[in-house]
């Protein structure tokens, strides 16, 4: 890395949409913008969790509607999401250590669901949230506010190997959207 990482894009795949839903996979992709709007991505953190490894009666749940939604996704997406072998607590400990070491100024996600659900999981396992409370940023809000007329990052979706709902691929797409938006609007990512 040529300069310290200032930003992090997070994406998770889950079996629900609020705190306590089982997390299937998580990716955290560090990125920086050493030359203004050109974004430099760094090696991501990526782990898949075994959905059967969540302890019973500890507040974790599976939402029936989300389970049905997964049934309608591609075989590649389902295979990736449900092939986890890791225990959730160990993944959360490793994720927190990864983020703490980076100490990003901003933590981006497409909506606040991902960061909120991770904060719930960290609290559940007695882990300090590894980002400052002012660090979360919502990519969806920025896109709706400044890029409603743009089709930011859509070229990335057509690249070979992109699997929707793979958190690493989704992070790459979301970072491409952010970079393209900042290029067109001349906004500066700080």
């Amino acid at each position: 890395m040529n300069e310290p990482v200032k930003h992090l894009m997070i994406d998770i795949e889950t079996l629900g949409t609020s705190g306590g839903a089982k997390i299937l996979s998580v990716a955290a992709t560090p990125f920086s913008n050493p030359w203004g709007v050109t974004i430099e991505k760094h090696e991501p953190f990526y782990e898949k969790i075994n959905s059967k490894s969540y302890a019973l009666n500890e507040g974790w749940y599976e939402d029936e509607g989300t389970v049905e939604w997964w049934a309608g996704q591609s075989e590649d997406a389902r295979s990736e999401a449900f092939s986890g072998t890791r225990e959730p607590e160990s993944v959360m400990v490793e994720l927190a250590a990864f983020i703490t070491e980076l100490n990003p100024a901003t933590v981006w996600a497409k909506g606040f669901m991902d960061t909120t659900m991770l904060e719930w999981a960290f609290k559940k396992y007695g882990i300090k949230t590894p980002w400052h409370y002012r660090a979360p940023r919502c990519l969806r809000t920025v896109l709706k506010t400044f890029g409603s007329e743009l089709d930011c990052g859509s070229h990335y979706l057509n690249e070979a190997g992109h699997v929707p709902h793979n958190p690493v691929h989704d992070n790459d797409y979301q970072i491409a959207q952010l970079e393209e938006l900042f290029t067109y609007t001349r906004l500066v990512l700080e």
Side-chain angles (χ1 to χ4, degrees):
M1 288 184 232
N2 296 335
E3 83 166 27
V5 171
K6 293 182 179 177
H7 313 285
L8 190 66
M9 184 69 72
I10 289 182
D11 191 68
I12 62 176
E13 298 304 329
T14 67
L15 290 175
T17 58
S18 62
K22 291 180 181 180
I23 297 170
L24 300 172
S25 56
V26 58
T29 306
F31 65 100
S32 53
N33 61 325
W35 303 284
V37 295
T38 302
I39 290 179
E40 182 179 300
K41 290 185 293 184
H42 306 285
E43 190 65 31
F45 173 94
Y46 178 50
E47 290 295 340
K48 297 182 283 184
I49 299 170
N50 180 346
S51 65
K52 307 280 189 243
S53 67
Y54 286 88
L56 297 174
N57 303 319
E58 283 196 0
W60 297 102
Y61 75 94
E62 294 182 11
D63 174 71
E64 187 177 314
T66 305
V67 172
E68 289 174 14
W69 177 86
W70 273 111
Q73 300 310 303
S74 74
E75 178 60 36
D76 287 343
R78 287 193 318 272
S79 175
E80 185 70 16
F82 290 93
S83 63
T85 59
R86 300 289 310 279
E87 298 286 325
E89 184 172 8
S90 62
V91 170
M92 291 303 115
V93 167
E94 291 170 22
L95 175 62
F98 178 83
I99 296 170
T100 298
E101 184 176 330
L102 291 173
N103 191 27
T106 62
V107 177
W108 290 84
K110 201 159 192 178
F112 287 109
M113 183 185 94
D114 298 53
T115 53
T116 301
M117 291 177 74
L118 286 173
E119 288 171 356
W120 192 96
F122 290 137
K123 185 175 181 179
K124 181 77 174 162
Y125 292 120
I127 302 166
K128 183 180 183 282
T129 299
W131 54 74
H132 191 276
Y133 71 91
R134 289 184 292 205
R137 300 289 189 272
C138 178
L139 177 62
R140 183 174 288 121
T141 300
V142 172
L143 289 171
K144 293 276 187 194
T145 303
F146 297 105
S148 60
E149 300 301 316
L150 304 173
D151 194 15
C152 293
S154 61
H155 61 85
Y156 179 82
L157 295 175
N158 298 321
E159 289 185 14
H162 175 78
V163 177
H165 310 299
N166 171 312
V168 173
H169 296 177
D170 286 351
N171 277 349
D172 288 346
Y173 170 55
Q174 291 162 190
I175 291 169
Q177 287 182 296
L178 191 62
E179 182 174 36
E180 209 165 300
L181 174 68
F182 281 36
T183 298
Y184 287 126
T185 62
R186 301 193 194 290
L187 293 171
V188 177
L189 180 62
E190 293 190 27

